Amino acid sequence: MKNISNEVLKKIKDNNIKPKPRWYFVTKNYFIWLIFGISIILGSFAFSMVLFIIKQLDWDIYHYIGEGFLKTIFISLPYLWLIFLILFTGVAYYNFIHTKRGYRLKLISILLMNLVISITLGTGLYFNGFSERLENVFSEKIPYYNRLVYSCEEQWMKPERGLLAGIIIETGLPENNFILMDLDNNRWKIEDGKVIWKGKTAPVIGLKIKLIGTLIDNNNFKAIEIRPWQKGQGKFMMGGESIIFYFPDYFPSKFMDC
Amino acid sequence: MVTSSECINKTDEQIVVLTLKNQDYYLCLMKRYEDKLLNYILKISNLSREDGEDILQEAFIKAYQNLNDFDLNFKFSNWIYSIAHNTTISAFRKKKVRPQTISWENKDLNNLLKSTLDAENTSLQKLTYKHILKIINQLPLKYKDVLILKFVEGKDYQEISDILHKPMGTVGTLINRAKKSLKQELKKEDITLKKL
């Protein structure tokens, strides 16, 4: 039988083996916590985007989309951001179990803890208007981003199914009809018969709106219900004079999206 | 040169601190764990004694290199067992060795069987002894590992959790499954233990 301990000590001395310095382990440990923290923050960004996209869609119009409610949910879920949320939660988990005592917690406890932190922070970011700013940056700077995310534009630009969105460019036509430039820059004559104007809006040039109704032909659309594009936008009646009212000074910017 | 008498009244953790100042103290730590770790390595791996000794050397060198990573709030024994365990697993995977029947001391095997089978005392025929060892060695590593740590090395759940880097709940589940699995295998082979 070998005298292992003496052999090892001899090897350590002969090969001048030294313990790795303390700072190496301290740095490594901080690095693991840093990646964990960054993953949690990125996960919260992803959750704030999930919340933002879910909140901005109109969920009461699923029957116009022609699908059941569950199928509408299935079509509309922000998968891209959900994948990012899962990915960052996974990275956070991986780093957490590599911290000194991370292995002591069960997988489910760590995942729940990561998700709770990401959801809490993400909700805060959403109410802070951060997710809208992030959405704008992604829409403008990331090619094909809009194709990856189911947006209000996509939801409302289905004239054949009775959904249309655009900006009023001309008013004062007979029978309260007006002209709308849709989001794909097509002109539409909107028949405004017994339409319900939701959100105290009224036809004003420059107003961006969403319409529910019936397609008559390629240029004519009969509206049944009209909503302001932005959920926090509306009109006050003051002394018989209508004022289009925007909320940006009073509410966080997220309320201004569709 | 540090003599073993200089380490007698010192805890492992105190010797770690001294080793970082004077590498000769590391000999005391190695001497304390040499036999225990070699037995543990051989039992979980089925490797030959020579291979087991090589793994132990590698584990001791790894532990020395990572000595500054040892947290004095933990038990050194768990830490060194954990390193031995990881070194064995990686060597075991690399070598893909054919299982050998490593002989166990009777008391170790008896401890394991007593706890697993809830038997008071057992005496084994020579033939049965070999047979049982074969069955134990054929258990999945994760089961064999926890059974050895719990019933041969005498570690508690927290210690096993620190060695295997698994939550305590998982350790408990593994031990129960391992006991069940061993009982089933013994039953399948129709091995009955004569009570003393």
Side-chain angles (χ1 to χ4, degrees), chain A residues 41 43-46 48-49 118-133 254:
Chain A
I41 289 169
S44 63
F45 285 2
S48 78
M49 292 306 295
S118 288
I119 288 171
T120 311
L121 283 176
T123 307
L125 289 170
Y126 167 74
F127 279 106
N128 201 26
F130 174 82
S131 40
E132 192 194 358
R133 288 194 289 276
K254 62 160 186 64

Side-chain angles (χ1 to χ4, degrees), chain B residues 23-40:
Chain B
Q23 60 188 183
D24 287 339
Y25 276 99
Y26 193 49
L27 193 64
C28 297
L29 281 174
M30 288 191 286
K31 290 266 185 219
R32 280 186 189 181
Y33 287 96
E34 189 178 311
D35 291 342
K36 285 183 199 168
L37 288 177
L38 185 60
N39 277 330
Y40 171 63

Side-chain angles (χ1 to χ4, degrees), chain A residues 69-82:
Chain A
F69 186 61
L70 285 176
K71 198 165 181 188
T72 305
I73 291 176
F74 185 72
I75 295 169
S76 320
L77 282 177
Y79 290 105
L80 179 74
W81 290 108
L82 283 172

Side-chain angles (χ1 to χ4, degrees), chain B:
Chain B
M1 192 75 180
V2 175
T3 57
S4 48
S5 59
E6 287 178 68
C7 300
I8 283 176
N9 293 322
K10 292 188 171 66
T11 64
D12 292 344
E13 292 71 24
Q14 285 171 328
I15 302 173
V16 169
V17 176
L18 291 169
T19 303
L20 287 166
K21 292 169 190 158
N22 176 1
Q23 60 188 183
D24 287 339
Y25 276 99
Y26 193 49
L27 193 64
C28 297
L29 281 174
M30 288 191 286
K31 290 266 185 219
R32 280 186 189 181
Y33 287 96
E34 189 178 311
D35 291 342
K36 285 183 199 168
L37 288 177
L38 185 60
N39 277 330
Y40 171 63
I41 289 168
L42 293 177
K43 282 189 177 84
I44 61 166
S45 68
N46 295 339
L47 291 170
S48 66
R49 188 171 191 91
E50 292 71 38
D51 285 340
E53 286 174 350
D54 288 346
I55 290 172
L56 182 60
Q57 283 204 19
E58 197 184 329
F60 275 147
I61 290 174
K62 264 189 201 166
Y64 181 71
Q65 287 175 315
N66 291 289
L67 216 49
N68 270 314
D69 193 31
F70 171 63
D71 186 338
L72 290 168
N73 297 314
F74 283 73
K75 276 172 82 173
F76 179 80
S77 67
N78 296 342
W79 187 73
I80 193 87
Y81 262 86
S82 174
I83 291 176
H85 173 264
N86 292 338
T87 313
T88 310
I89 299 299
S90 53
F92 188 55
R93 281 181 187 150
K94 258 186 257 168
K95 293 198 171 193
K96 289 198 167 119
V97 288
R98 266 180 280 156
Q100 301 180 20
T101 306
I102 306 298
S103 58
W104 284 36
E105 281 177 39
N106 255 324
K107 73 168 174 47
D108 286 346
L109 192 62
N110 262 321
N111 278 344
L112 179 60
L113 292 174
K114 261 197 303 185
S115 318
T116 310
L117 305 171
D118 305 318
E120 281 299 307
N121 280 302
T122 56
S123 76
L124 302 169
Q125 302 287 334
K126 192 88 177 164
L127 187 71
T128 321
Y129 169 91
K130 274 191 181 168
H131 205 159
I132 291 173
L133 273 188
K134 201 176 157 201
I135 291 169
I136 292 171
N137 284 328
Q138 279 168 354
L139 286 177
L141 180 64
K142 59 180 179 180
Y143 290 164
K144 200 166 60 165
D145 213 349
V146 287
L147 286 178
I148 291 166
L149 285 168
K150 175 78 184 144
F151 302 117
V152 178
E153 303 293 326
K155 304 283 182 191
D156 62 27
Y157 280 31
Q158 183 62 69
E159 288 173 323
I160 299 173
S161 157
D162 288 340
I163 291 167
L164 300 181
H165 281 203
K166 288 186 192 303
M168 279 219 289
T170 309
V171 169
T173 310
L174 276 174
I175 289 174
N176 284 332
R177 286 186 189 158
K179 282 168 76 171
K180 211 172 155 188
S181 178
L182 180 59
K183 267 185 198 173
Q184 277 173 355
E185 290 303 315
L186 291 173
K187 208 174 169 187
K188 234 188 266 176
E189 299 287 324
D190 205 23
I191 292 176
T192 49
L193 301 166
K194 191 179 95 188
K195 284 192 180 181
L196 285 174

Side-chain angles (χ1 to χ4, degrees), chain A residues 178-230:
Chain A
F178 58 89
I179 306 292
L180 180 98
M181 182 75 82
D182 75 13
L183 301 178
D184 293 333
N185 290 329
N186 302 313
R187 276 173 74 93
W188 294 85
K189 186 183 166 194
I190 305 299
E191 290 185 16
D192 179 0
K194 288 173 184 168
V195 70
I196 303 161
W197 283 82
K198 281 206 169 173
K200 293 182 182 172
T201 45
V204 178
I205 292 171
L207 183 66
K208 197 172 177 183
I209 52 174
K210 300 182 276 199
L211 305 96
I212 299 171
T214 321
L215 177 72
I216 299 169
D217 59 38
N218 283 346
N219 299 98
N220 288 281
F221 190 89
K222 186 173 173 50
I224 300 166
E225 185 187 313
I226 296 176
R227 302 170 178 191
W229 175 257
Q230 294 163 337

Side-chain angles (χ1 to χ4, degrees), chain A residues 101-119:
Chain A
R101 291 169 202 229
Y103 63 86
R104 287 185 174 184
L105 285 182
K106 282 194 166 186
L107 165 81
I108 190 76
S109 315
I110 300 172
L111 288 182
L112 274 177
M113 180 188 73
N114 292 349
L115 275 175
V116 166
I117 301 174
S118 288
I119 288 171

Side-chain angles (χ1 to χ4, degrees), chain A residues 16-65:
Chain A
N16 199 21
I17 296 169
K18 300 263 182 234
K20 288 177 197 162
R22 190 161 179 75
W23 63 260
Y24 168 84
F25 296 105
V26 172
T27 311
K28 191 177 146 195
N29 211 27
Y30 277 127
F31 184 74
I32 290 170
W33 279 108
L34 180 72
I35 301 294
F36 169 76
I38 290 172
S39 308
I40 290 285
I41 289 169
L42 291 177
S44 63
F45 285 2
F47 182 76
S48 78
M49 292 306 295
V50 169
L51 210 55
F52 173 75
I53 290 167
I54 287 175
K55 202 81 170 59
Q56 73 166 353
L57 296 175
D58 292 76
W59 294 94
D60 58 332
I61 57 159
Y62 66 91
H63 46 278
Y64 292 100
I65 298 169

